[in-house]
Amino acid sequence: MHVCDHRYHHLWTLQGPTQGVNRLVRCPDASCESRGCTFSPEAALSISMPRGCLGWEVLCWLGHRRFARHWSVPQLRADLQDTHQIRLSDDAIEHSIGLYQTMLAARQPDPRQLAEASRDIPSLVLTIDGLQPEKGHETLSVVRELMRKRVGFAAPLLSSATPEVRRLIVVARQWAERLDKPVRGWMSEKQDAFVKAIASEFPGTPHRYCSNHFLRDLAQPVLEMDSRAKGKMRRKVRGVRAIARRVLEDQRPAAAPEPTPPDEPAKTDAPPLAAASEAAAPCASNDRGGPTTDSALEATGGATTGKACVEDEAGEVVLGYGAAVRGILHDSQGGPLPPPGVRMREALQDVRDSLERTLQAQKGGLQRRC
């Protein structure tokens, strides 16, 4: 081989911008079958993919943080620029992530990788399930190994007919034969095509149905009754927002009245000493030892402030109970174990018991109403 040309490759690595120089070679022998063909060095593929602007380490850095740490594309772009001074657009990052997914999907069914992953298990447990696609696309059927949770292969099916499904089961049998592992069991949903294809290609192998599909089908009537019960409870528990609205209106600070100017003292012919005595008379204690006028005003102001504090605390308690009830009424998550309606009923009963304990704890208790 003789060097005939050079190719310069500019790329980004985690250590900074890099330029690779690839020596292109050709065979000068006229009788060689590869005469006229140009070859690039194989070591160039260990640095980056052909015609790629990112090194392998940057590509793996993006894929790991996107799928293992669930970083967003703007977060990846900002961290690349701040930490490694690599400026990429959102489109370039999304394209690189797509390449990472493609290579990862190609690596998963690699026979050497699968043999390495299943080396220490005596047998295989296989499962087949369909991934619901977007409307108008065929179903993607995936065959997985449950002991090591590895995806064997996936293929789109145009229909759920038995010949289409049997084609996948045949590939699964060939895949197990290449691994030289016996199949201990199969798991799938209860579909006629799956049952017939597995029985024909794996005779005598136990076939179990998916517990999720089985439980979902079994609990469908229960979930329908549970949904009707939730509707009845929501219709019965009404007026929570109206109560909270009234409490918020009561808590709004009223507009403070404008202070009235003090009255000017009346000009009388009384001597200054008498006027001072009459002015001081209301501030004196009464004969019964009661409080003075200033003390009475202070006591009245303290009582008003204390009453406002108590009403404010009571309003906060009412708002807290209202928020709890609204959260209970809007809780519709979860499956058939336990149903949302049962959880709603138990939570509302807890709120009711708490209200009863609070009311009974008051002085004298509260008479129970019918």
Side-chain angles (χ1 to χ4, degrees):
M1 292 290 189
H2 288 184
V3 177
C4 62
D5 202 354
H6 293 81
R7 180 186 298 140
Y8 298 92
H9 188 191
H10 303 275
L11 68 153
W12 289 97
T13 64
L14 295 181
Q15 287 74 31
T18 304
Q19 175 179 312
V21 182
N22 299 327
R23 296 186 179 92
L24 307 181
V25 296
R26 288 184 179 180
C27 182
D29 191 356
S31 61
C32 182
E33 295 181 357
S34 62
R35 179 178 175 79
C37 298
T38 304
F39 297 90
S40 60
E42 186 178 358
L45 297 179
S46 63
I47 302 175
S48 68
M49 67 177 62
R51 297 177 297 277
C53 65
L54 300 178
W56 287 118
E57 52 186 2
V58 180
L59 192 71
C60 296
W61 186 93
L62 289 172
H64 174 73
R65 280 156 180 77
R66 178 67 184 92
F67 299 107
R69 301 184 182 178
H70 306 286
W71 285 18
S72 62
V73 173
Q75 188 176 4
L76 292 171
R77 174 171 50 80
D79 195 79
L80 271 179
Q81 184 174 353
D82 296 341
T83 306
H84 304 285
Q85 290 75 47
I86 300 177
R87 299 185 61 181
L88 294 177
S89 64
D90 292 347
D91 295 340
I93 294 177
E94 292 175 358
H95 178 68
S96 301
I97 291 174
L99 294 177
Y100 179 87
Q101 286 182 291
T102 302
M103 289 185 292
L104 186 63
R107 185 178 182 271
Q108 288 290 333
D110 187 3
R112 291 176 298 179
Q113 298 291 334
L114 294 175
E116 182 68 23
S118 59
R119 176 180 298 177
D120 56 343
I121 57 176
S123 58
L124 306 176
V125 178
L126 302 180
T127 178
I128 182 171
D129 195 7
L131 299 179
Q132 187 66 29
E134 296 181 359
K135 190 174 182 180
H137 297 270
E138 58 268 14
T139 303
L140 182 66
S141 296
V142 181
V143 176
R144 295 184 301 146
E145 204 284 315
L146 294 183
M147 300 298 294
R148 287 293 176 266
K149 302 184 185 302
R150 293 295 298 266
V151 176
F153 58 92
L157 294 181
L158 299 177
S159 66
S160 58
T162 302
E164 288 286 330
V165 175
R166 181 172 297 174
R167 179 171 56 86
L168 290 182
I169 304 302
V170 170
V171 176
R173 179 174 54 80
Q174 297 172 356
W175 176 57
E177 291 174 354
R178 285 198 301 268
L179 294 177
D180 195 18
K181 299 285 184 179
V183 178
R184 186 173 59 182
W186 266 94
M187 181 179 293
S188 70
E189 56 181 297
K190 192 175 182 181
Q191 197 174 12
D192 292 340
F194 291 156
V195 175
K196 294 179 181 179
I198 292 174
S200 61
E201 296 297 330
F202 293 86
T205 301
H207 184 191
R208 299 290 180 263
Y209 302 135
C210 177
S211 58
N212 185 25
H213 290 84
F214 176 78
L215 185 61
R216 185 180 60 188
D217 297 339
L218 184 66
Q220 188 63 32
V222 178
L223 291 179
E224 292 177 358
M225 292 187 293
D226 183 78
S227 179
R228 292 193 294 269
K230 286 193 302 180
K232 292 181 180 179
M233 284 188 286
R234 287 197 182 101
R235 288 193 297 268
K236 187 174 182 181
V237 183
R238 289 181 177 272
V240 179
R241 292 186 181 276
I243 295 174
R245 193 178 299 114
R246 289 199 300 268
V247 173
L248 291 176
E249 290 177 356
D250 295 339
Q251 288 184 350
R252 290 175 183 172
E258 296 181 0
T260 58
D263 297 337
E264 294 182 0
K267 296 180 180 180
T268 59
D269 296 337
L273 183 59
S277 301
E278 291 177 0
C283 298
S285 301
N286 53 21
D287 296 338
R288 299 179 181 179
T292 62
T293 305
D294 294 340
S295 300
L297 290 176
E298 292 176 0
T300 306
T304 305
T305 305
K307 183 178 180 181
C309 294
V310 172
E311 290 179 354
D312 185 57
E313 292 179 358
E316 293 297 330
V317 172
V318 172
L319 292 178
Y321 274 106
V325 172
R326 287 197 304 272
I328 292 170
L329 295 179
H330 289 85
D331 181 18
S332 60
Q333 302 296 324
L337 294 177
V342 175
R343 297 201 312 269
M344 182 184 295
R345 188 259 178 193
E346 294 176 351
L348 289 176
Q349 185 62 40
D350 292 340
V351 173
R352 183 173 183 174
D353 294 341
S354 177
L355 288 172
E356 290 290 340
R357 289 193 301 269
T358 304
L359 295 176
Q360 293 295 336
Q362 294 181 357
K363 185 178 180 180
L366 181 68
Q367 294 182 359
R368 302 182 65 87
R369 295 183 179 181
C370 179

